[in-house]
Amino acid sequence: ILNVEQSPQSLHVQEGDSTNFTCSFPSSNFYALHWYRWETAKSPEALFVMTLNGDEKKKGRISATLNTKEGYSYLYIKGSQPEDSATYLCASMDSSYKLIFGSGTRLLVRP
Amino acid sequence: DGGITQSPKYLFRKEGQNVTLSCEQNLNHDAMYWYRQDPGQGLRLIYYSQIVNDFQKGDIAEGYSVSREKKESFPLTVTSAQKNPTAFYLCASRTGQKLFFGSGTQLSVL
């Protein structure tokens, strides 16, 4: 994998549904994996930064896992709410602190 | 308030003209980044700087130039060599491994 790839590109779920997104990244020269949340008309905000294989982080109903050996990370949202609607960006940082983003997953949670 | 300020919010460029986008931060962060977003696409890295008087090219540096003479400032110049400059430009600064973003500048070509 040469680029950071995210799937799905967009997702529509019903309020209360749990959902997850995937991020694939180059495992060579890996330093850190970032997740950002970007709401319309706002700036992206950091959710998680993970560095170690097997890392798991949690913030409220949102959690993320990291597998550096195979080059993927999952973001989970439990019991989605309309306010979770946003674009979720994954980014991979190498040892020179170069940070490359995926194209994002756009989530829409219907009430 | 501490934060990152990008100006202007909207900018128009005439054909063959250079324009400079401003990015200022008062967070005392050493590292700063410039990204470009096109409709339906993700953020692509233009330039980044780890420290004053030093910067590196990102994946799409052609047609752009930067300077980092002061810690708090990282201006981006879109030169006439950039043939498709219409895009949304985001600036960020970094502390540790986390980025903090400005509110962006929308550049359009007249």
Side-chain angles (χ1 to χ4, degrees), chain B residues 36 41 44-45 59 72 90 95-96 98 106:
Chain B
R36 165 183 173 140
Q41 296 190 35
R44 291 187 291 166
L45 181 63
D59 294 335
E72 58 269 23
L90 265 179
T95 180
K98 188 183 294 187
Q106 175 64 50

Side-chain angles (χ1 to χ4, degrees), chain A residues 94 96-100, chain B residues 32-35 44-50 54-67 74 76:
Chain A
D94 69 15
S96 71
Y97 295 101
K98 181 180 181 181
L99 187 64
I100 302 300
Chain B
M32 297 185 75
Y33 296 72
W34 272 107
Y35 289 91
R44 291 187 291 166
L45 181 63
I46 306 172
Y47 269 98
Y48 62 116
S49 167
Q50 302 305 316
D54 185 51
F55 48 83
Q56 292 81 38
K57 292 182 179 180
D59 294 335
I60 56 165
E62 186 175 349
Y64 299 97
S65 67
V66 293
S67 63
F74 192 38
L76 174 74

Side-chain angles (χ1 to χ4, degrees), chain A residues 33-105:
Chain A
L33 192 285
H34 296 220
W35 282 100
Y36 290 84
R37 169 193 165 94
W38 194 359
E39 294 181 74
T40 303
K42 294 185 178 180
S43 303
E45 290 185 354
L47 285 173
F48 305 112
V49 178
M50 297 177 287
T51 57
L52 300 175
N53 185 46
D55 263 353
E56 293 187 23
K57 296 241 174 143
K58 187 175 181 181
K59 183 185 293 187
R61 293 178 292 99
I62 305 177
S63 61
T65 62
L66 178 65
N67 182 321
T68 60
K69 293 182 179 178
E70 297 181 40
Y72 67 83
S73 175
Y74 294 131
L75 185 78
Y76 301 91
I77 302 179
K78 184 178 179 181
S80 302
Q81 299 297 309
E83 57 265 30
D84 295 329
S85 297
T87 296
Y88 291 83
L89 299 171
C90 163
S92 178
M93 178 177 277
D94 69 15
S95 55
S96 71
Y97 295 101
K98 181 180 181 181
L99 187 64
I100 302 300
F101 281 83
S103 56
T105 293

Side-chain angles (χ1 to χ4, degrees), chain B:
Chain B
D1 280 31
I4 302 173
T5 302
Q6 289 188 244
S7 62
K9 191 171 183 177
Y10 299 97
L11 187 59
F12 297 92
R13 192 192 93 166
K14 294 181 181 179
E15 292 285 346
Q17 189 181 48
N18 291 357
V19 290
T20 296
L21 283 60
S22 170
C23 180
E24 303 278 331
Q25 54 102 357
N26 60 5
L27 300 170
N28 201 35
H29 293 170
D30 285 318
M32 297 185 75
Y33 296 72
W34 272 107
Y35 289 91
R36 165 183 173 140
Q37 186 193 36
D38 293 280
Q41 296 190 35
L43 299 176
R44 291 187 291 166
L45 181 63
I46 306 172
Y47 269 98
Y48 62 116
S49 167
Q50 302 305 316
I51 200 167
V52 173
N53 294 322
D54 185 51
F55 48 83
Q56 292 81 38
K57 292 182 179 180
D59 294 335
I60 56 165
E62 186 175 349
Y64 299 97
S65 67
V66 293
S67 63
R68 189 83 190 278
E69 297 176 3
K70 297 185 295 182
K71 187 176 187 177
E72 58 269 23
S73 179
F74 192 38
L76 174 74
T77 296
V78 185
T79 74
S80 57
Q82 172 51 244
K83 298 306 179 188
N84 187 21
T86 296
F88 184 70
Y89 291 85
L90 265 179
C91 176
S93 68
R94 179 174 58 79
T95 180
Q97 295 159 356
K98 188 183 294 187
L99 263 63
F100 294 81
F101 287 87
S103 55
T105 293
Q106 175 64 50
L107 175 63
S108 301
V109 176
L110 295 176

